[in-house]
Amino acid sequence: MENVQEVEVVATEVAQEQAPQQEQQPRRYNRDGRSDRKGGRRNNRDRDAREDDGLIKKLVAVNRVTKVVKGGRTMRFSALCVVGDGKGMVGIGMAKAAEVPQAIEKANLRAKKAMVKIALVDTTIPHEAIGKFGRGKVLLMPAQPGTGVIAGGPVRNVLEAVGIKDIRTKSYGSNNPINCVKATFDGLTNLRTREHIAELRGKNADEI
């Protein structure tokens, strides 16, 4: 029994001597300055700050696309997104990918590259316009301040991304979200301000 107690005491002393040595071991770092330690929570604040570019991003529709190939069927996802700055710039983009987040990310990038400037007057549009795409038509009508955005889901997403606060709309024909969004975009790109029309005619804005 005495021998067993002596062995336990020796083992305890050895463990106590090794503990400080293990704590003093330096932590290894990668080339980018990150530790090799696995696990733990990640700090998402930096990632969110990088992704926040001040743009309004709206997901309009996500569809599952099936492609029949020799080996069977392949499932992919199609995403339609609208990106705007809320100050008159807007763009739409569509993309496909194997996963929904990837499709949304690709659609947002394409929408950013396709952003165009929309003619606005204060919080509404300068005049009435009709946008067409396929069998879908969208009627855009200016409204008084305080009216709000009177529009359906897909059309509302585009108008809010542009930054329009007061407008009345009516959708005809197809109610497909893709057709509605593209018809709305077509109507917005056809808008012209009085100053722009005067410049095209070579006159002053007061002469029109």
Side-chain angles (χ1 to χ4, degrees):
M1 294 295 292
E2 295 179 357
N3 295 334
V4 174
Q5 293 178 354
E6 293 178 357
V7 171
E8 292 178 353
V9 172
V10 173
T12 303
E13 294 177 354
V14 172
Q16 294 177 355
E17 293 178 357
Q18 292 180 354
Q21 295 178 1
Q22 294 177 357
E23 294 178 356
Q24 295 176 359
Q25 290 181 357
R27 182 179 297 178
R28 297 180 181 179
Y29 292 89
N30 296 328
R31 294 181 179 179
D32 56 356
R34 296 180 180 179
S35 174
D36 289 340
R37 185 179 62 183
K38 297 181 180 180
R41 295 194 306 173
R42 297 180 180 178
N43 189 1
N44 295 327
R45 293 182 180 178
D46 297 338
R47 178 175 59 84
D48 295 339
R50 288 194 299 268
E51 292 180 355
D52 187 12
D53 48 5
L55 297 177
I56 302 173
K57 303 176 183 178
K58 292 184 177 293
L59 176 63
V60 180
V62 176
N63 296 324
R64 189 179 66 177
V65 182
T66 303
K67 181 180 179 181
V68 181
V69 296
K70 184 178 180 180
R73 297 180 178 180
T74 57
M75 300 291 184
R76 305 187 73 188
F77 295 92
S78 173
L80 173 62
C81 295
V82 178
V83 176
D85 61 352
K87 301 177 182 179
M89 294 288 292
V90 69
I92 59 176
M94 290 187 63
K96 285 188 280 189
E99 300 293 338
V100 175
Q102 297 175 1
I104 296 174
E105 183 178 358
K106 291 170 63 176
N108 285 329
L109 292 176
R110 293 184 180 181
K112 286 182 183 180
K113 295 180 180 179
M115 292 179 67
V116 296
K117 183 67 176 179
I118 305 299
L120 302 179
V121 176
D122 296 332
T123 60
T124 185
I125 57 178
H127 57 83
E128 183 177 311
I130 299 177
K132 300 179 181 180
F133 184 83
R135 298 294 296 176
K137 297 181 182 179
V138 176
L139 174 61
L140 306 175
M141 296 173 287
Q144 297 294 328
T147 303
V149 179
I150 302 176
V155 179
R156 176 181 292 270
N157 290 332
V158 180
L159 299 177
E160 290 180 350
V162 177
I164 299 175
K165 305 296 183 182
D166 304 297
I167 190 173
R168 293 176 293 129
T169 65
K170 179 64 178 177
S171 178
Y172 299 95
S174 175
N175 59 355
N176 188 318
I178 298 175
N179 290 349
C180 291
V181 168
K182 292 190 175 182
T184 306
F185 186 76
D186 178 67
L188 292 175
T189 53
N190 293 333
L191 295 174
R192 298 290 184 270
T193 59
R194 186 173 62 176
E195 291 76 12
H196 185 215
I197 295 176
E199 182 180 357
L200 294 175
R201 296 182 180 180
K203 300 181 180 180
N204 295 328
D206 297 335
E207 297 177 1
I208 298 178

